[in-house]
Amino acid sequence: MISVCMIVKNEESFISDCIKSIRPISDDIHIVDTGSTDATMDMIREFPSINLREFKWCDDFSAARNESIRLAGHPWILIIDADERLAEVSREEVLSMANGPAGADGPITIYGAKIRNQTLDGKLINTDFSPRLHPNRPDVRYSCRVHEKISHPKGVSITLNNKFILEHLGADRSIVSAKKKVSRNLKLLNLAILEEPERIDLKIYAMYELEHGCQYKDAIKLGCAICDELCQMNEEYPGRKRALPDVVHRLAKCFRCVGEFENLYNVGELASKHCAESSWLDLEIAMGQILDSKPASAMNTLCAIPTKVYKNKAVYQNMDVLHWLVPRYIGECHLAMGNNDMALKVFQTILPFLPSPDLEIVSGYIEALNQGYNRLREGEAPLATHADEILHVGTYEGEIE
């Protein structure tokens, strides 16, 4: 038996579909509204038996999250956000996981869901994991004002289940921008850092938000300080092993976006000494090499990524880098080197898999290439397709999560 708990604010575009996705697995749904001014609460009231509560916002997501959990009446709790959907294929899996023991005594298991971050039209951006199904116990609660984390007793087993899938639409760039998430999260993180200045994870989240908000110079300054702090930690410290590769990758992206290519390559050297291989870091380096007029070097970097991934599947839990990102930039390398036929073939092959805005960018490449060939057949000069004329305009500077 499962209770579903969520917190919402101004989610009229998403809330109905979210509720429809969870109704088949739960008759105990609790929604805490933190101050909606749109039709969210009216839409929730259209669903019988849902427990809707209003909660005065206090600059603390964990407080609202814990209030929703306090209302739960069943042995297991599923945490979901309004802009997420429980995948239909996962319903039986969730019910099966909730058949395990959830009492006050004995071992605790918390299940992590596979989060499919996708665009509003359903195209995959990337995936990650998040703990979302846990026993209803008073010692399992959330903490931190923003990017809240689940707190639990020692000895808890956290099991990631690839069959437990949540489809997340809120990762679409239009949604992130419309909700002004970056400025809101930075405000809450600054409050949290003042309260707990020793917590490096809060500083890491602040760097992530600066990067998301394209405040690259500030992100670089903070990221360099974080790297110094992490590198001074004992190599066996779990926080260092988890955090350093991701911080280094994001730092590399920031250097790429401001055109500091030597610093980008130096980050690669730092990573080779202090953390495991990262396909995302390799991708950032390749993108920098393209912009740095080194397409042959970029091609070598890109072509090595699939081999690394398949040799180290335990390290590369996120395989999305192979779906379309590597082929996309291989196409740009061909473009920069004048191999227009190969570039066109690569771009046409990956076109069905691209999310926005990459879809628009690559469609523009294809149109330019086709126009060039048509004009050549008509006796006119082909359109220019060199890196300094196309890649400078088209290279995606958005988030790669």
Side-chain angles (χ1 to χ4, degrees), residues 283 302-303 305-306 320-331:
L283 188 66
L302 289 164
C303 289
I305 290 176
D320 301 317
V321 69
L322 298 181
H323 291 168
W324 55 267
L325 279 168
V326 169
R328 185 206 143 157
Y329 289 106
I330 286 177

Side-chain angles (χ1 to χ4, degrees), residues 228-357:
D228 287 342
E229 190 171 344
L230 287 170
C231 288
Q232 291 171 13
M233 291 180 178
N234 187 298
E235 289 188 7
E236 299 305 314
Y237 180 67
R240 168 180 163 155
K241 287 185 174 181
R242 289 193 301 267
L244 189 56
D246 199 34
V247 172
V248 166
H249 156 233
R250 292 171 187 264
L251 188 58
K253 177 199 167 177
C254 292
F255 281 129
R256 172 180 62 81
C257 289
V258 299
E260 296 184 17
F261 301 120
E262 287 305 315
N263 284 330
L264 166 60
Y265 307 144
N266 289 337
V267 166
E269 292 294 322
L270 171 71
S272 67
K273 296 177 182 177
H274 293 284
C275 51
E277 290 181 337
S278 168
S279 56
W280 296 106
L281 177 58
D282 290 342
L283 188 66
E284 290 292 346
I285 291 172
M287 292 161 69
Q289 289 168 329
I290 294 172
L291 293 172
D292 197 19
S293 301
K294 298 176 179 178
S297 297
M299 184 73 82
N300 290 334
T301 302
L302 289 164
C303 289
I305 290 176
T307 301
K308 289 182 179 180
V309 170
Y310 285 117
K311 280 185 176 180
N312 300 278
K313 287 186 178 180
V315 174
Y316 297 111
Q317 291 183 0
N318 192 329
M319 303 286 281
D320 301 317
V321 69
L322 298 181
H323 291 168
W324 55 267
L325 279 168
V326 169
R328 185 206 143 157
Y329 289 106
I330 286 177
E332 294 201 5
C333 289
H334 283 303
L335 197 62
M337 292 187 290
N339 303 329
N340 290 354
D341 286 335
M342 285 300 301
L344 185 60
K345 288 179 181 178
V346 171
F347 291 146
Q348 289 173 333
T349 299
I350 64 173
L351 196 64
F353 308 102
L354 295 174
S356 179

